[in-house]
Amino acid sequence: MIFPWFERTFASLTGRLLAQRLHHALLLAGPPEIGKFQLADALAQVILCQQPASVGSCGHCQSCKLFAAGSHPDFHMLESDKQLGVDKIREGIARLSGTAQLSRNKVLVIPAAHTMTDSAANALLKTLEEPTDNTFLLLLTEKPQQLLPTILSRCEKCTLPVPGEAESLNWLKAEGVEDASGALLQAYGGSPLAVRRALSEEDTALSYRGFQDGIQALLSGAETSLALASRWQDAAPQVVTWCQQQAHRRYISTQQVQDFEMFSLCQHAAKRLQHPGINKVVVLCQVLELLQRPAPDPHP
Ligand SMILES: [Zn+2]
């Protein structure tokens, strides 16, 4: 599946693959939750497809069927949690050494390339320099600055931006999020996928809507800052980020010094929250109490 904001990138990569001009090592770099993995997945499928076309994989050849079933013998993925060690990289490289079993090509995907240890990265270098025949390496990262320069220089970098606001809002609407707004998107770093995920997890994590409802209740006097701060302490950094965004938006429109103070206080609070052992309820209370200050009279 290709998200609409990646359709052009996908078409361009597929076109180059069919013209046999696709670089054997691609680095897909971009912010979290914009669909980099889905793009790599679709690209891998078309690389392995036995009858690829400019629109993508055929979807019905033996290769496509195995790929969809998650059991393609020429497709390998090196997942990692916090670190990707040298053993796993060597294992992945070993799988690429033989000829392709089913397709003409072989694909290795590294979904979080920035988690490679230095020795893992060094082990990968040789493969990047002298790849085995018909091998494609797809490296994904949200932190390209953490990759060794030697890795960066041997990959073709494909920088993927956050999707445009209008495109994201259209997509969210099609996904059933009727009241999506620019502010909602901004609350989730501009990622429509993060918005959709957050709304589907309404029960477990604090959502932006839950936050907005809480702020409304605070301003109307139905909630106290202490009650909210206690309830939101597990999501304290997220709450402070949203308060900061709200203050920023207000300052842009009002140019009031009070809103700028609020913005600065949130920045300060975000830093304090990074200290282990900090009382999150106290920090949140200070931020929320400032929000309760009445707006200054526009016509004094
Ligand atoms: Zn196919």
Side-chain angles (χ1 to χ4, degrees), residues 131-158:
T132 47
D133 286 344
N134 305 319
T135 294
F136 289 89
L137 292 132
L138 307 179
L139 279 63
L140 281 60
T141 187
E142 57 192 55
K143 294 171 185 162
Q145 70 281 6
Q146 286 184 12
L147 287 168
L148 291 183
T150 42
I151 293 281
L152 289 173
S153 67
R154 281 160 184 81
C155 294
E156 182 185 320
K157 191 173 170 191
C158 182

mmCIF file with all atom_site columns, all heavy atoms in Angstrom, residues 131-158:
data_model
loop_
_atom_site.group_PDB
_atom_site.id
_atom_site.type_symbol
_atom_site.label_atom_id
_atom_site.label_alt_id
_atom_site.label_comp_id
_atom_site.label_asym_id
_atom_site.label_entity_id
_atom_site.label_seq_id
_atom_site.pdbx_PDB_ins_code
_atom_site.Cartn_x
_atom_site.Cartn_y
_atom_site.Cartn_z
_atom_site.occupancy
_atom_site.B_iso_or_equiv
_atom_site.pdbx_formal_charge
_atom_site.auth_seq_id
_atom_site.auth_comp_id
_atom_site.auth_asym_id
_atom_site.auth_atom_id
_atom_site.pdbx_PDB_model_num
ATOM 1   N N   . PRO A 1 131 ? 28.384 -5.098  -3.513  1.00 0.00 ? 131 PRO A N   1
ATOM 2   C CA  . PRO A 1 131 ? 27.184 -5.921  -3.285  1.00 0.00 ? 131 PRO A CA  1
ATOM 3   C C   . PRO A 1 131 ? 27.211 -7.173  -4.151  1.00 0.00 ? 131 PRO A C   1
ATOM 4   O O   . PRO A 1 131 ? 27.798 -7.165  -5.238  1.00 0.00 ? 131 PRO A O   1
ATOM 5   C CB  . PRO A 1 131 ? 26.050 -4.992  -3.704  1.00 0.00 ? 131 PRO A CB  1
ATOM 6   C CG  . PRO A 1 131 ? 26.659 -4.032  -4.667  1.00 0.00 ? 131 PRO A CG  1
ATOM 7   C CD  . PRO A 1 131 ? 28.082 -3.852  -4.243  1.00 0.00 ? 131 PRO A CD  1
ATOM 8   N N   . THR A 1 132 ? 26.613 -8.232  -3.627  1.00 0.00 ? 132 THR A N   1
ATOM 9   C CA  . THR A 1 132 ? 26.464 -9.430  -4.457  1.00 0.00 ? 132 THR A CA  1
ATOM 10  C C   . THR A 1 132 ? 25.473 -9.088  -5.566  1.00 0.00 ? 132 THR A C   1
ATOM 11  O O   . THR A 1 132 ? 24.724 -8.113  -5.471  1.00 0.00 ? 132 THR A O   1
ATOM 12  C CB  . THR A 1 132 ? 25.928 -10.604 -3.607  1.00 0.00 ? 132 THR A CB  1
ATOM 13  O OG1 . THR A 1 132 ? 24.824 -10.117 -2.837  1.00 0.00 ? 132 THR A OG1 1
ATOM 14  C CG2 . THR A 1 132 ? 26.994 -11.124 -2.669  1.00 0.00 ? 132 THR A CG2 1
ATOM 15  N N   . ASP A 1 133 ? 25.481 -9.894  -6.622  1.00 0.00 ? 133 ASP A N   1
ATOM 16  C CA  . ASP A 1 133 ? 24.652 -9.581  -7.784  1.00 0.00 ? 133 ASP A CA  1
ATOM 17  C C   . ASP A 1 133 ? 23.172 -9.470  -7.425  1.00 0.00 ? 133 ASP A C   1
ATOM 18  O O   . ASP A 1 133 ? 22.661 -10.237 -6.608  1.00 0.00 ? 133 ASP A O   1
ATOM 19  C CB  . ASP A 1 133 ? 24.808 -10.686 -8.845  1.00 0.00 ? 133 ASP A CB  1
ATOM 20  C CG  . ASP A 1 133 ? 26.159 -10.561 -9.527  1.00 0.00 ? 133 ASP A CG  1
ATOM 21  O OD1 . ASP A 1 133 ? 26.784 -9.490  -9.386  1.00 0.00 ? 133 ASP A OD1 1
ATOM 22  O OD2 . ASP A 1 133 ? 26.593 -11.540 -10.154 1.00 0.00 ? 133 ASP A OD2 1
ATOM 23  N N   . ASN A 1 134 ? 22.528 -8.555  -8.076  1.00 0.00 ? 134 ASN A N   1
ATOM 24  C CA  . ASN A 1 134 ? 21.071 -8.403  -7.938  1.00 0.00 ? 134 ASN A CA  1
ATOM 25  C C   . ASN A 1 134 ? 20.590 -8.244  -6.500  1.00 0.00 ? 134 ASN A C   1
ATOM 26  O O   . ASN A 1 134 ? 19.548 -8.765  -6.126  1.00 0.00 ? 134 ASN A O   1
ATOM 27  C CB  . ASN A 1 134 ? 20.340 -9.598  -8.580  1.00 0.00 ? 134 ASN A CB  1
ATOM 28  C CG  . ASN A 1 134 ? 20.745 -9.789  -10.017 1.00 0.00 ? 134 ASN A CG  1
ATOM 29  O OD1 . ASN A 1 134 ? 20.889 -8.818  -10.753 1.00 0.00 ? 134 ASN A OD1 1
ATOM 30  N ND2 . ASN A 1 134 ? 20.980 -11.026 -10.413 1.00 0.00 ? 134 ASN A ND2 1
ATOM 31  N N   . THR A 1 135 ? 21.392 -7.574  -5.704  1.00 0.00 ? 135 THR A N   1
ATOM 32  C CA  . THR A 1 135 ? 21.027 -7.342  -4.314  1.00 0.00 ? 135 THR A CA  1
ATOM 33  C C   . THR A 1 135 ? 20.630 -5.886  -4.111  1.00 0.00 ? 135 THR A C   1
ATOM 34  O O   . THR A 1 135 ? 21.305 -4.977  -4.602  1.00 0.00 ? 135 THR A O   1
ATOM 35  C CB  . THR A 1 135 ? 22.229 -7.667  -3.404  1.00 0.00 ? 135 THR A CB  1
ATOM 36  O OG1 . THR A 1 135 ? 22.488 -9.053  -3.487  1.00 0.00 ? 135 THR A OG1 1
ATOM 37  C CG2 . THR A 1 135 ? 21.934 -7.291  -1.967  1.00 0.00 ? 135 THR A CG2 1
ATOM 38  N N   . PHE A 1 136 ? 19.546 -5.692  -3.385  1.00 0.00 ? 136 PHE A N   1
ATOM 39  C CA  . PHE A 1 136 ? 19.130 -4.327  -3.039  1.00 0.00 ? 136 PHE A CA  1
ATOM 40  C C   . PHE A 1 136 ? 19.049 -4.198  -1.527  1.00 0.00 ? 136 PHE A C   1
ATOM 41  O O   . PHE A 1 136 ? 18.470 -5.056  -0.855  1.00 0.00 ? 136 PHE A O   1
ATOM 42  C CB  . PHE A 1 136 ? 17.767 -4.003  -3.658  1.00 0.00 ? 136 PHE A CB  1
ATOM 43  C CG  . PHE A 1 136 ? 17.826 -3.848  -5.149  1.00 0.00 ? 136 PHE A CG  1
ATOM 44  C CD1 . PHE A 1 136 ? 17.660 -4.954  -5.979  1.00 0.00 ? 136 PHE A CD1 1
ATOM 45  C CD2 . PHE A 1 136 ? 18.065 -2.608  -5.720  1.00 0.00 ? 136 PHE A CD2 1
ATOM 46  C CE1 . PHE A 1 136 ? 17.733 -4.820  -7.355  1.00 0.00 ? 136 PHE A CE1 1
ATOM 47  C CE2 . PHE A 1 136 ? 18.138 -2.462  -7.103  1.00 0.00 ? 136 PHE A CE2 1
ATOM 48  C CZ  . PHE A 1 136 ? 17.968 -3.575  -7.928  1.00 0.00 ? 136 PHE A CZ  1
ATOM 49  N N   . LEU A 1 137 ? 19.653 -3.156  -1.027  1.00 0.00 ? 137 LEU A N   1
ATOM 50  C CA  . LEU A 1 137 ? 19.600 -2.885  0.404   1.00 0.00 ? 137 LEU A CA  1
ATOM 51  C C   . LEU A 1 137 ? 18.751 -1.642  0.626   1.00 0.00 ? 137 LEU A C   1
ATOM 52  O O   . LEU A 1 137 ? 19.004 -0.603  0.006   1.00 0.00 ? 137 LEU A O   1
ATOM 53  C CB  . LEU A 1 137 ? 21.012 -2.645  0.945   1.00 0.00 ? 137 LEU A CB  1
ATOM 54  C CG  . LEU A 1 137 ? 21.892 -3.899  0.922   1.00 0.00 ? 137 LEU A CG  1
ATOM 55  C CD1 . LEU A 1 137 ? 23.234 -3.604  0.328   1.00 0.00 ? 137 LEU A CD1 1
ATOM 56  C CD2 . LEU A 1 137 ? 22.042 -4.433  2.326   1.00 0.00 ? 137 LEU A CD2 1
ATOM 57  N N   . LEU A 1 138 ? 17.767 -1.764  1.483   1.00 0.00 ? 138 LEU A N   1
ATOM 58  C CA  . LEU A 1 138 ? 16.910 -0.616  1.789   1.00 0.00 ? 138 LEU A CA  1
ATOM 59  C C   . LEU A 1 138 ? 17.090 -0.268  3.254   1.00 0.00 ? 138 LEU A C   1
ATOM 60  O O   . LEU A 1 138 ? 16.662 -1.009  4.140   1.00 0.00 ? 138 LEU A O   1
ATOM 61  C CB  . LEU A 1 138 ? 15.441 -0.939  1.489   1.00 0.00 ? 138 LEU A CB  1
ATOM 62  C CG  . LEU A 1 138 ? 15.121 -1.466  0.087   1.00 0.00 ? 138 LEU A CG  1
ATOM 63  C CD1 . LEU A 1 138 ? 13.627 -1.774  -0.041  1.00 0.00 ? 138 LEU A CD1 1
ATOM 64  C CD2 . LEU A 1 138 ? 15.525 -0.463  -0.981  1.00 0.00 ? 138 LEU A CD2 1
ATOM 65  N N   . LEU A 1 139 ? 17.760 0.838   3.502   1.00 0.00 ? 139 LEU A N   1
ATOM 66  C CA  . LEU A 1 139 ? 17.995 1.291   4.872   1.00 0.00 ? 139 LEU A CA  1
ATOM 67  C C   . LEU A 1 139 ? 16.996 2.399   5.198   1.00 0.00 ? 139 LEU A C   1
ATOM 68  O O   . LEU A 1 139 ? 16.811 3.327   4.406   1.00 0.00 ? 139 LEU A O   1
ATOM 69  C CB  . LEU A 1 139 ? 19.426 1.829   5.032   1.00 0.00 ? 139 LEU A CB  1
ATOM 70  C CG  . LEU A 1 139 ? 20.554 0.818   5.244   1.00 0.00 ? 139 LEU A CG  1
ATOM 71  C CD1 . LEU A 1 139 ? 20.713 -0.108  4.058   1.00 0.00 ? 139 LEU A CD1 1
ATOM 72  C CD2 . LEU A 1 139 ? 21.867 1.530   5.523   1.00 0.00 ? 139 LEU A CD2 1
ATOM 73  N N   . LEU A 1 140 ? 16.367 2.306   6.360   1.00 0.00 ? 140 LEU A N   1
ATOM 74  C CA  . LEU A 1 140 ? 15.406 3.317   6.772   1.00 0.00 ? 140 LEU A CA  1
ATOM 75  C C   . LEU A 1 140 ? 15.910 3.988   8.043   1.00 0.00 ? 140 LEU A C   1
ATOM 76  O O   . LEU A 1 140 ? 16.474 3.312   8.918   1.00 0.00 ? 140 LEU A O   1
ATOM 77  C CB  . LEU A 1 140 ? 14.049 2.674   7.088   1.00 0.00 ? 140 LEU A CB  1
ATOM 78  C CG  . LEU A 1 140 ? 13.132 2.311   5.925   1.00 0.00 ? 140 LEU A CG  1
ATOM 79  C CD1 . LEU A 1 140 ? 13.772 1.318   4.980   1.00 0.00 ? 140 LEU A CD1 1
ATOM 80  C CD2 . LEU A 1 140 ? 11.832 1.754   6.445   1.00 0.00 ? 140 LEU A CD2 1
ATOM 81  N N   . THR A 1 141 ? 15.672 5.273   8.141   1.00 0.00 ? 141 THR A N   1
ATOM 82  C CA  . THR A 1 141 ? 16.087 5.939   9.373   1.00 0.00 ? 141 THR A CA  1
ATOM 83  C C   . THR A 1 141 ? 15.326 7.233   9.612   1.00 0.00 ? 141 THR A C   1
ATOM 84  O O   . THR A 1 141 ? 14.909 7.909   8.675   1.00 0.00 ? 141 THR A O   1
ATOM 85  C CB  . THR A 1 141 ? 17.599 6.254   9.377   1.00 0.00 ? 141 THR A CB  1
ATOM 86  O OG1 . THR A 1 141 ? 17.967 6.745   10.666  1.00 0.00 ? 141 THR A OG1 1
ATOM 87  C CG2 . THR A 1 141 ? 17.973 7.297   8.335   1.00 0.00 ? 141 THR A CG2 1
ATOM 88  N N   . GLU A 1 142 ? 15.119 7.518   10.892  1.00 0.00 ? 142 GLU A N   1
ATOM 89  C CA  . GLU A 1 142 ? 14.580 8.833   11.256  1.00 0.00 ? 142 GLU A CA  1
ATOM 90  C C   . GLU A 1 142 ? 15.690 9.708   11.819  1.00 0.00 ? 142 GLU A C   1
ATOM 91  O O   . GLU A 1 142 ? 15.461 10.858  12.157  1.00 0.00 ? 142 GLU A O   1
ATOM 92  C CB  . GLU A 1 142 ? 13.443 8.662   12.282  1.00 0.00 ? 142 GLU A CB  1
ATOM 93  C CG  . GLU A 1 142 ? 13.861 7.913   13.523  1.00 0.00 ? 142 GLU A CG  1
ATOM 94  C CD  . GLU A 1 142 ? 12.684 7.489   14.380  1.00 0.00 ? 142 GLU A CD  1
ATOM 95  O OE1 . GLU A 1 142 ? 11.784 6.814   13.836  1.00 0.00 ? 142 GLU A OE1 1
ATOM 96  O OE2 . GLU A 1 142 ? 12.682 7.824   15.565  1.00 0.00 ? 142 GLU A OE2 1
ATOM 97  N N   . LYS A 1 143 ? 16.892 9.135   11.962  1.00 0.00 ? 143 LYS A N   1
ATOM 98  C CA  . LYS A 1 143 ? 18.028 9.889   12.495  1.00 0.00 ? 143 LYS A CA  1
ATOM 99  C C   . LYS A 1 143 ? 19.265 9.671   11.627  1.00 0.00 ? 143 LYS A C   1
ATOM 100 O O   . LYS A 1 143 ? 20.220 9.021   12.048  1.00 0.00 ? 143 LYS A O   1
ATOM 101 C CB  . LYS A 1 143 ? 18.326 9.437   13.931  1.00 0.00 ? 143 LYS A CB  1
ATOM 102 C CG  . LYS A 1 143 ? 17.212 9.772   14.902  1.00 0.00 ? 143 LYS A CG  1
ATOM 103 C CD  . LYS A 1 143 ? 17.452 9.117   16.243  1.00 0.00 ? 143 LYS A CD  1
ATOM 104 C CE  . LYS A 1 143 ? 16.270 9.358   17.172  1.00 0.00 ? 143 LYS A CE  1
ATOM 105 N NZ  . LYS A 1 143 ? 16.257 8.419   18.296  1.00 0.00 ? 143 LYS A NZ  1
ATOM 106 N N   . PRO A 1 144 ? 19.252 10.202  10.390  1.00 0.00 ? 144 PRO A N   1
ATOM 107 C CA  . PRO A 1 144 ? 20.391 9.961   9.497   1.00 0.00 ? 144 PRO A CA  1
ATOM 108 C C   . PRO A 1 144 ? 21.701 10.497  10.075  1.00 0.00 ? 144 PRO A C   1
ATOM 109 O O   . PRO A 1 144 ? 22.776 9.977   9.755   1.00 0.00 ? 144 PRO A O   1
ATOM 110 C CB  . PRO A 1 144 ? 20.011 10.700  8.210   1.00 0.00 ? 144 PRO A CB  1
ATOM 111 C CG  . PRO A 1 144 ? 18.900 11.612  8.572   1.00 0.00 ? 144 PRO A CG  1
ATOM 112 C CD  . PRO A 1 144 ? 18.216 11.031  9.766   1.00 0.00 ? 144 PRO A CD  1
ATOM 113 N N   . GLN A 1 145 ? 21.600 11.516  10.946  1.00 0.00 ? 145 GLN A N   1
ATOM 114 C CA  . GLN A 1 145 ? 22.818 12.108  11.518  1.00 0.00 ? 145 GLN A CA  1
ATOM 115 C C   . GLN A 1 145 ? 23.547 11.121  12.426  1.00 0.00 ? 145 GLN A C   1
ATOM 116 O O   . GLN A 1 145 ? 24.711 11.326  12.754  1.00 0.00 ? 145 GLN A O   1
ATOM 117 C CB  . GLN A 1 145 ? 22.489 13.421  12.254  1.00 0.00 ? 145 GLN A CB  1
ATOM 118 C CG  . GLN A 1 145 ? 21.701 13.298  13.546  1.00 0.00 ? 145 GLN A CG  1
ATOM 119 C CD  . GLN A 1 145 ? 20.187 13.091  13.333  1.00 0.00 ? 145 GLN A CD  1
ATOM 120 O OE1 . GLN A 1 145 ? 19.726 12.929  12.212  1.00 0.00 ? 145 GLN A OE1 1
ATOM 121 N NE2 . GLN A 1 145 ? 19.430 13.064  14.417  1.00 0.00 ? 145 GLN A NE2 1
ATOM 122 N N   . GLN A 1 146 ? 22.843 10.044  12.837  1.00 0.00 ? 146 GLN A N   1
ATOM 123 C CA  . GLN A 1 146 ? 23.498 9.061   13.700  1.00 0.00 ? 146 GLN A CA  1
ATOM 124 C C   . GLN A 1 146 ? 24.218 7.962   12.915  1.00 0.00 ? 146 GLN A C   1
ATOM 125 O O   . GLN A 1 146 ? 24.835 7.074   13.492  1.00 0.00 ? 146 GLN A O   1
ATOM 126 C CB  . GLN A 1 146 ? 22.474 8.417   14.645  1.00 0.00 ? 146 GLN A CB  1
ATOM 127 C CG  . GLN A 1 146 ? 22.042 9.357   15.753  1.00 0.00 ? 146 GLN A CG  1
ATOM 128 C CD  . GLN A 1 146 ? 21.101 8.696   16.741  1.00 0.00 ? 146 GLN A CD  1
ATOM 129 O OE1 . GLN A 1 146 ? 20.927 7.477   16.744  1.00 0.00 ? 146 GLN A OE1 1
ATOM 130 N NE2 . GLN A 1 146 ? 20.472 9.491   17.580  1.00 0.00 ? 146 GLN A NE2 1
ATOM 131 N N   . LEU A 1 147 ? 24.107 8.016   11.589  1.00 0.00 ? 147 LEU A N   1
ATOM 132 C CA  . LEU A 1 147 ? 24.774 6.989   10.784  1.00 0.00 ? 147 LEU A CA  1
ATOM 133 C C   . LEU A 1 147 ? 26.220 7.382   10.505  1.00 0.00 ? 147 LEU A C   1
ATOM 134 O O   . LEU A 1 147 ? 26.528 8.570   10.375  1.00 0.00 ? 147 LEU A O   1
ATOM 135 C CB  . LEU A 1 147 ? 24.034 6.809   9.466   1.00 0.00 ? 147 LEU A CB  1
ATOM 136 C CG  . LEU A 1 147 ? 22.685 6.099   9.567   1.00 0.00 ? 147 LEU A CG  1
ATOM 137 C CD1 . LEU A 1 147 ? 21.917 6.235   8.267   1.00 0.00 ? 147 LEU A CD1 1
ATOM 138 C CD2 . LEU A 1 147 ? 22.878 4.634   9.897   1.00 0.00 ? 147 LEU A CD2 1
ATOM 139 N N   . LEU A 1 148 ? 27.084 6.393   10.385  1.00 0.00 ? 148 LEU A N   1
ATOM 140 C CA  . LEU A 1 148 ? 28.487 6.684   10.072  1.00 0.00 ? 148 LEU A CA  1
ATOM 141 C C   . LEU A 1 148 ? 28.564 7.339   8.690   1.00 0.00 ? 148 LEU A C   1
ATOM 142 O O   . LEU A 1 148 ? 27.846 6.936   7.770   1.00 0.00 ? 148 LEU A O   1
ATOM 143 C CB  . LEU A 1 148 ? 29.303 5.385   10.037  1.00 0.00 ? 148 LEU A CB  1
ATOM 144 C CG  . LEU A 1 148 ? 29.532 4.647   11.360  1.00 0.00 ? 148 LEU A CG  1
ATOM 145 C CD1 . LEU A 1 148 ? 30.431 3.434   11.122  1.00 0.00 ? 148 LEU A CD1 1
ATOM 146 C CD2 . LEU A 1 148 ? 30.156 5.568   12.397  1.00 0.00 ? 148 LEU A CD2 1
ATOM 147 N N   . PRO A 1 149 ? 29.456 8.326   8.541   1.00 0.00 ? 149 PRO A N   1
ATOM 148 C CA  . PRO A 1 149 ? 29.602 8.987   7.232   1.00 0.00 ? 149 PRO A CA  1
ATOM 149 C C   . PRO A 1 149 ? 29.923 7.995   6.115   1.00 0.00 ? 149 PRO A C   1
ATOM 150 O O   . PRO A 1 149 ? 29.495 8.181   4.966   1.00 0.00 ? 149 PRO A O   1
ATOM 151 C CB  . PRO A 1 149 ? 30.779 9.948   7.440   1.00 0.00 ? 149 PRO A CB  1
ATOM 152 C CG  . PRO A 1 149 ? 30.903 10.127  8.916   1.00 0.00 ? 149 PRO A CG  1
ATOM 153 C CD  . PRO A 1 149 ? 30.348 8.900   9.560   1.00 0.00 ? 149 PRO A CD  1
ATOM 154 N N   . THR A 1 150 ? 30.634 6.933   6.467   1.00 0.00 ? 150 THR A N   1
ATOM 155 C CA  . THR A 1 150 ? 30.987 5.942   5.437   1.00 0.00 ? 150 THR A CA  1
ATOM 156 C C   . THR A 1 150 ? 29.741 5.217   4.929   1.00 0.00 ? 150 THR A C   1
ATOM 157 O O   . THR A 1 150 ? 29.665 4.835   3.763   1.00 0.00 ? 150 THR A O   1
ATOM 158 C CB  . THR A 1 150 ? 31.968 4.904   6.015   1.00 0.00 ? 150 THR A CB  1
ATOM 159 O OG1 . THR A 1 150 ? 31.543 4.543   7.316   1.00 0.00 ? 150 THR A OG1 1
ATOM 160 C CG2 . THR A 1 150 ? 33.374 5.444   6.086   1.00 0.00 ? 150 THR A CG2 1
ATOM 161 N N   . ILE A 1 151 ? 28.751 5.020   5.812   1.00 0.00 ? 151 ILE A N   1
ATOM 162 C CA  . ILE A 1 151 ? 27.494 4.392   5.385   1.00 0.00 ? 151 ILE A CA  1
ATOM 163 C C   . ILE A 1 151 ? 26.733 5.383   4.499   1.00 0.00 ? 151 ILE A C   1
ATOM 164 O O   . ILE A 1 151 ? 26.272 5.042   3.406   1.00 0.00 ? 151 ILE A O   1
ATOM 165 C CB  . ILE A 1 151 ? 26.620 4.016   6.613   1.00 0.00 ? 151 ILE A CB  1
ATOM 166 C CG1 . ILE A 1 151 ? 27.277 2.910   7.449   1.00 0.00 ? 151 ILE A CG1 1
ATOM 167 C CG2 . ILE A 1 151 ? 25.212 3.614   6.178   1.00 0.00 ? 151 ILE A CG2 1
ATOM 168 C CD1 . ILE A 1 151 ? 27.123 1.518   6.909   1.00 0.00 ? 151 ILE A CD1 1
ATOM 169 N N   . LEU A 1 152 ? 26.641 6.621   4.983   1.00 0.00 ? 152 LEU A N   1
ATOM 170 C CA  . LEU A 1 152 ? 25.894 7.650   4.237   1.00 0.00 ? 152 LEU A CA  1
ATOM 171 C C   . LEU A 1 152 ? 26.429 7.813   2.823   1.00 0.00 ? 152 LEU A C   1
ATOM 172 O O   . LEU A 1 152 ? 25.674 7.917   1.861   1.00 0.00 ? 152 LEU A O   1
ATOM 173 C CB  . LEU A 1 152 ? 25.973 8.994   4.970   1.00 0.00 ? 152 LEU A CB  1
ATOM 174 C CG  . LEU A 1 152 ? 25.178 9.108   6.272   1.00 0.00 ? 152 LEU A CG  1
ATOM 175 C CD1 . LEU A 1 152 ? 25.491 10.419  6.980   1.00 0.00 ? 152 LEU A CD1 1
ATOM 176 C CD2 . LEU A 1 152 ? 23.681 9.010   5.995   1.00 0.00 ? 152 LEU A CD2 1
ATOM 177 N N   . SER A 1 153 ? 27.775 7.790   2.706   1.00 0.00 ? 153 SER A N   1
ATOM 178 C CA  . SER A 1 153 ? 28.365 8.072   1.402   1.00 0.00 ? 153 SER A CA  1
ATOM 179 C C   . SER A 1 153 ? 28.188 6.920   0.418   1.00 0.00 ? 153 SER A C   1
ATOM 180 O O   . SER A 1 153 ? 28.348 7.107   -0.777  1.00 0.00 ? 153 SER A O   1
ATOM 181 C CB  . SER A 1 153 ? 29.848 8.411   1.565   1.00 0.00 ? 153 SER A CB  1
ATOM 182 O OG  . SER A 1 153 ? 30.545 7.265   1.997   1.00 0.00 ? 153 SER A OG  1
ATOM 183 N N   . ARG A 1 154 ? 27.851 5.749   0.925   1.00 0.00 ? 154 ARG A N   1
ATOM 184 C CA  . ARG A 1 154 ? 27.698 4.603   0.023   1.00 0.00 ? 154 ARG A CA  1
ATOM 185 C C   . ARG A 1 154 ? 26.247 4.285   -0.322  1.00 0.00 ? 154 ARG A C   1
ATOM 186 O O   . ARG A 1 154 ? 25.962 3.334   -1.031  1.00 0.00 ? 154 ARG A O   1
ATOM 187 C CB  . ARG A 1 154 ? 28.381 3.371   0.630   1.00 0.00 ? 154 ARG A CB  1
ATOM 188 C CG  . ARG A 1 154 ? 29.884 3.418   0.436   1.00 0.00 ? 154 ARG A CG  1
ATOM 189 C CD  . ARG A 1 154 ? 30.598 2.517   1.403   1.00 0.00 ? 154 ARG A CD  1
ATOM 190 N NE  . ARG A 1 154 ? 32.036 2.628   1.292   1.00 0.00 ? 154 ARG A NE  1
ATOM 191 C CZ  . ARG A 1 154 ? 32.769 3.588   1.851   1.00 0.00 ? 154 ARG A CZ  1
ATOM 192 N NH1 . ARG A 1 154 ? 32.188 4.563   2.527   1.00 0.00 ? 154 ARG A NH1 1
ATOM 193 N NH2 . ARG A 1 154 ? 34.078 3.596   1.721   1.00 0.00 ? 154 ARG A NH2 1
ATOM 194 N N   . CYS A 1 155 ? 25.348 5.081   0.238   1.00 0.00 ? 155 CYS A N   1
ATOM 195 C CA  . CYS A 1 155 ? 23.936 4.885   -0.086  1.00 0.00 ? 155 CYS A CA  1
ATOM 196 C C   . CYS A 1 155 ? 23.445 6.075   -0.888  1.00 0.00 ? 155 CYS A C   1
ATOM 197 O O   . CYS A 1 155 ? 23.965 7.183   -0.766  1.00 0.00 ? 155 CYS A O   1
ATOM 198 C CB  . CYS A 1 155 ? 23.090 4.827   1.188   1.00 0.00 ? 155 CYS A CB  1
ATOM 199 S SG  . CYS A 1 155 ? 23.423 3.421   2.231   1.00 0.00 ? 155 CYS A SG  1
ATOM 200 N N   . GLU A 1 156 ? 22.403 5.828   -1.661  1.00 0.00 ? 156 GLU A N   1
ATOM 201 C CA  . GLU A 1 156 ? 21.734 6.968   -2.267  1.00 0.00 ? 156 GLU A CA  1
ATOM 202 C C   . GLU A 1 156 ? 20.668 7.417   -1.287  1.00 0.00 ? 156 GLU A C   1
ATOM 203 O O   . GLU A 1 156 ? 19.804 6.638   -0.895  1.00 0.00 ? 156 GLU A O   1
ATOM 204 C CB  . GLU A 1 156 ? 21.091 6.567   -3.590  1.00 0.00 ? 156 GLU A CB  1
ATOM 205 C CG  . GLU A 1 156 ? 20.434 7.765   -4.241  1.00 0.00 ? 156 GLU A CG  1
ATOM 206 C CD  . GLU A 1 156 ? 19.673 7.405   -5.499  1.00 0.00 ? 156 GLU A CD  1
ATOM 207 O OE1 . GLU A 1 156 ? 20.159 6.581   -6.286  1.00 0.00 ? 156 GLU A OE1 1
ATOM 208 O OE2 . GLU A 1 156 ? 18.579 7.971   -5.676  1.00 0.00 ? 156 GLU A OE2 1
ATOM 209 N N   . LYS A 1 157 ? 20.760 8.687   -0.878  1.00 0.00 ? 157 LYS A N   1
ATOM 210 C CA  . LYS A 1 157 ? 19.833 9.167   0.132   1.00 0.00 ? 157 LYS A CA  1
ATOM 211 C C   . LYS A 1 157 ? 18.556 9.690   -0.496  1.00 0.00 ? 157 LYS A C   1
ATOM 212 O O   . LYS A 1 157 ? 18.591 10.489  -1.422  1.00 0.00 ? 157 LYS A O   1
ATOM 213 C CB  . LYS A 1 157 ? 20.503 10.257  0.969   1.00 0.00 ? 157 LYS A CB  1
ATOM 214 C CG  . LYS A 1 157 ? 19.707 10.631  2.202   1.00 0.00 ? 157 LYS A CG  1
ATOM 215 C CD  . LYS A 1 157 ? 20.524 11.583  3.068   1.00 0.00 ? 157 LYS A CD  1
ATOM 216 C CE  . LYS A 1 157 ? 19.662 12.168  4.172   1.00 0.00 ? 157 LYS A CE  1
ATOM 217 N NZ  . LYS A 1 157 ? 20.342 13.268  4.854   1.00 0.00 ? 157 LYS A NZ  1
ATOM 218 N N   . CYS A 1 158 ? 17.451 9.212   0.035   1.00 0.00 ? 158 CYS A N   1
ATOM 219 C CA  . CYS A 1 158 ? 16.146 9.653   -0.439  1.00 0.00 ? 158 CYS A CA  1
ATOM 220 C C   . CYS A 1 158 ? 15.472 10.308  0.766   1.00 0.00 ? 158 CYS A C   1
ATOM 221 O O   . CYS A 1 158 ? 15.065 9.620   1.693   1.00 0.00 ? 158 CYS A O   1
ATOM 222 C CB  . CYS A 1 158 ? 15.391 8.423   -0.932  1.00 0.00 ? 158 CYS A CB  1
ATOM 223 S SG  . CYS A 1 158 ? 13.801 8.726   -1.608  1.00 0.00 ? 158 CYS A SG  1
#
